[in-house]
Structure formats: structure tokens, C-alpha cells
Amino acid sequence: MNKRFDNLQNIIVDKTLDGVILTDGYNIDYLSGYKGHTGMLLVLGQDRYILTDSRYTEQAASEAREYFIIDIGMDGYSKTVKRLVEEKYSMEHGECESNVELNIGFEDQAISYSQYRALADVFDNSKVNLVHLEESVNKLRMIKSAEEIELIAKAEAIGDEAFNHIINFMEVGMTEKQVALELEVAMKSLGADGLSFDTIVASGKNSSMPHAVPTDKVIEDGDFVTMDFGCVYKGYCSDMTRTVYMGDELTEKQLEVYTTVLAAQKEALKAIKPGVVCSDIDKIARDYIAAAGYGDCFGHGLGHGVGLFIHEEPRFSRTCDEVLVPGMVLSVEPGIYLPGEFGVRIEDLIVVTEDGYENLADSPKVLILM
Ligand SMILES: [Mn+2]
């Protein structure tokens, strides 16, 4: 936990700040251990505070042991922040005795406009400047420790077991909702604390929508069924996707699309190792799919970081210029979507290692005919 705080202090020094206000619940958890997702983390010099309301003060006190826990009471967040800043820097009405200016970072990516207005208002006409932190604090979470990787691997293993269960359970005539519920029950029965996102089960024509919501549609013979699901285990997320086929006779096009997606994923996986730029991995899969004639049918990024939150930095996207480092955990999930027809996506979760990567997903990718 102290190493993490040191890394936050490095941001404070690099950006010549006097303190930071964090509002992203995952960043607050990462830095302090407080998992309530309601509150603010405030650092002023070496002083650390968690601000929250009375519903969470006991939890925060037990989880964030290195922090002062402040109950915002009737004052609300911004007035409480102002009071703490003034106490720390012996200010009167926003003016320091020494008349210096204070720079306090805030998470512009994780604050509502009204929260921001309230902070800006209390520091209006004062010597306190609010400075954008951009992605800097999110990026602290990119490289996972061995303990974090173990928890993500466990979450992914629960997903593998749930998939193994579902391919024995699912049959023609069930609805997408039934299958989704069964997947969710399986993950929780296997020890998951919750879901990392709403389970996707998309069959037949619905499978051409990358983020389809399970419906009452009955799964039919001749359908591809795309299942994208994940769970949370001790705070850490998993994510995987498999597409199976109902029946034993695919059309030529269906077979071609499945084969192309799988080969594109394998090509991208092969290139994963420390030092490679994230956008180059995306490009490998994207170029492969384009060369097969489906360039317009793969709109989303190839993958995303996974950790405390299901979609985090870095990204296998066209624009992400982060360089791979051992300990990064990302999904690799190419897809081809043909509106009105069908879609296929295959997703694994990998951790970058010293000499390549380790695949945390273990479910078969050879097309399963149900
Ligand atoms: Mn994903």
C-alpha cells in the first residue's frame, strides 16, 4: 500500500502539486483500501484523508487504516475540503499567510460537473488552483502486483468453470436470458463475489451486436451464441468471451468468419511481449481481419486493461501508445459483426510476462458445435 502511495506522491511532485482530490472509487480503493465507492480521497502534503458520509465511516476506518476518516456531515464534500485545506495551510478565507498559491489536482475524468462546480465555488477568488490529473492516477493501476494477478487469475478460472458448465447446460429452445442467468448463478456458486459487468448472451441475429443485452429470444438451430461474461473475485474482475454454434452444419460464411476471428486473435497474441506498443497489437488483428475482407465489421478496440475495474488502462486500441510492461493484464477480443446476420467474438485475458504473455483463460477456442 505504501508503494502505491509513493507512486501517487511522484505524480504530486511531477505536477508540482500541493495535494490531490481523488473521486474515482477504484483509485480510492487502490490507494487506501477503502472499498465503499462513496467518498473522496484527499492528500495534502503527507496528510491523507478519506471523506465520506456516516453510512461509510466505520467501513472506511477499518479498510483505510493509514488515512484520517472525515465525516462530511451537513457540510458536504467541498466545504469539508476547503476547511481541511485552510487548516493545513493556515489560510484565512482562501488566503495563505505567505500569500503563495496552492495547486490541488483533481480527477477531471471522474467527477460530475456539479461536484466540480461545488469545488470551484469554494475556491473561487482564493489562491487555490484546481489542476487536471487526466489519466495519471488511473495509470498507476496498469501494472499489477503478483497478488493482484493471482486474484484476476482466480476470477478468470471461475469464468472457465462456468463456461464448462454452460456448454453442458445450454440447448436449443432455451432463451438468452435463461442462459445468462445460469452463467451468473454458476459464477456465484463457484465463489464469485459479483459480476464484473452485465452478462452478454447473444444468439443468431442478435450476435451481430457486440454489446447485445440478453433477450427472451429462443436459441435456435443454426445460431451462433456469443457469451461474454466475467465475475469479481476479492475486488478483481475477469472477462472472457466464447462463441459456440448450435447444430453441426455451418454455412461457408459462418465458418469463414469464425476461423478469421480466431486466427486474428492468435496472430495478435503471438506478438504480445514487453516493449511492444499497444496500438501495434490492435493493428495486427485489425489488419488480419481487413485482409480477409471484413475490415468494416470490426469496429471496437482489440482489448482493454482489466483489474479492479472491467475497462481500464491500457488499451489495445488504434490510438493507445502505451508500451507493454510485465504485469499488465489485458483482454484480447477481436470480433466480426455482420448486421442482420450474425457475429463472432473470442476473448481471452492475458498477463504480460518477462518474455511474452500468459493466457489466464483456459476454455477451448476450437469451435464448439452444440
Ligand atoms: Mn472485454
Side-chain angles (χ1 to χ4, degrees):
M1 216 59 95
N2 277 319
K3 172 94 170 20
R4 295 179 184 181
F5 187 69
D6 291 346
N7 290 336
L8 180 65
Q9 286 289 358
N10 290 339
I11 293 174
I12 290 173
V13 171
D14 284 351
K15 293 184 178 285
T16 59
L17 302 174
D18 301 285
V20 291
I21 295 164
L22 303 189
T23 44
D24 180 306
Y26 297 102
N27 286 339
I28 293 171
D29 178 359
Y30 184 76
L31 284 152
S32 73
Y34 166 53
K35 299 181 188 308
H37 282 257
T38 297
M40 269 185 188
L41 186 156
L42 174 68
V43 176
L44 298 171
Q46 289 296 320
D47 299 346
R48 318 173 199 187
Y49 308 89
I50 298 288
L51 283 58
T52 187
D53 67 61
S54 64
R55 295 171 300 167
Y56 294 94
T57 44
E58 185 179 355
Q59 180 186 348
S62 74
E63 291 175 340
R65 294 186 167 274
E66 296 173 3
Y67 287 70
F68 292 111
I69 310 304
I70 309 283
D71 183 346
I72 58 167
M74 298 297 285
D75 282 347
Y77 287 100
S78 42
K79 277 191 192 158
T80 306
V81 170
K82 186 184 187 212
R83 175 172 61 79
L84 292 167
V85 170
E86 288 182 346
E87 281 172 14
K88 169 79 180 175
Y89 294 101
S90 323
M91 299 169 93
E92 286 287 339
H93 309 295
E95 297 283 329
C96 287
E97 279 173 356
S98 53
N99 210 29
V100 293
E101 297 206 356
L102 293 177
N103 293 317
I104 300 194
F106 75 101
E107 292 191 284
D108 48 301
Q109 312 267 353
I111 192 164
S112 71
Y113 183 69
S114 60
Q115 275 180 308
Y116 171 76
R117 280 296 346 146
L119 277 175
D121 283 348
V122 295
F123 291 124
D124 194 25
N125 285 319
S126 77
K127 298 272 182 185
V128 175
N129 305 313
L130 295 170
V131 180
H132 294 195
L133 288 167
E134 293 166 342
E135 294 284 351
S136 58
V137 182
N138 292 338
K139 286 184 177 179
L140 296 181
R141 307 204 321 252
M142 288 195 304
I143 302 169
K144 274 69 177 176
S145 67
E147 294 74 33
E148 290 182 289
I149 292 166
E150 207 174 300
L151 295 176
I152 297 167
K154 171 68 183 172
E156 190 73 0
I158 290 172
D160 277 328
E161 266 198 75
F163 179 71
N164 186 43
H165 168 72
I166 210 71
I167 54 176
N168 290 303
F169 167 86
M170 186 168 67
E171 50 189 50
V172 164
M174 290 177 177
T175 67
E176 295 172 348
K177 278 184 183 173
Q178 259 180 291
V179 174
L181 178 64
E182 186 72 15
L183 263 174
E184 293 173 0
V185 170
M187 289 190 284
K188 288 199 175 179
S189 304
L190 291 161
D193 301 314
L195 304 173
S196 48
F197 57 92
D198 289 339
T199 303
I200 296 170
V201 174
S203 65
K205 286 183 179 176
N206 291 346
S207 60
S208 70
M209 293 178 279
H211 274 191
V213 172
T215 69
D216 291 318
K217 179 190 169 301
V218 169
I219 294 168
E220 292 169 274
D221 201 52
D223 279 357
F224 269 128
V225 183
T226 298
M227 291 171 275
D228 186 349
F229 55 97
C231 68
V232 179
Y233 182 74
K234 294 190 177 170
Y236 283 85
C237 295
S238 70
D239 196 358
M240 65 183 291
T241 306
R242 289 292 183 270
T243 302
V244 300
Y245 188 74
M246 308 308 289
D248 41 33
E249 278 196 59
L250 287 86
T251 66
E252 221 170 280
K253 193 172 185 184
Q254 284 174 325
L255 185 60
E256 181 186 71
V257 165
Y258 191 91
T259 310
T260 303
V261 171
L262 183 54
Q265 195 215 30
K266 285 183 173 170
E267 287 300 310
L269 285 170
K270 268 199 289 188
I272 293 174
K273 61 179 183 196
V276 179
V277 178
C278 283
S279 58
D280 289 346
I281 302 294
D282 176 278
K283 190 173 185 321
I284 290 169
R286 202 165 297 286
D287 287 352
Y288 189 95
I289 287 172
Y294 295 101
D296 296 335
C297 310
F298 174 34
H300 59 75
L302 179 67
H304 52 87
V306 173
L308 288 170
F309 188 40
I310 184 63
H311 297 125
E312 55 181 54
E313 300 305 313
R315 315 270 168 171
F316 284 139
S317 69
R318 278 163 275 203
T319 53
C320 182
D321 56 10
E322 287 293 332
V323 172
L324 292 175
V325 172
M328 286 180 171
V329 175
L330 295 107
S331 71
V332 182
E333 47 179 312
I336 293 177
Y337 311 95
L338 307 172
E341 295 182 69
F342 62 88
V344 170
R345 179 168 65 259
I346 302 168
E347 173 181 30
D348 286 337
L349 193 61
I350 62 93
V351 54
V352 181
T353 59
E354 293 297 333
D355 52 3
Y357 72 95
E358 184 192 339
N359 200 332
L360 301 176
D362 194 34
S363 294
K365 291 187 283 191
V366 170
L367 181 58
I368 298 172
L369 304 176
M370 304 277 295

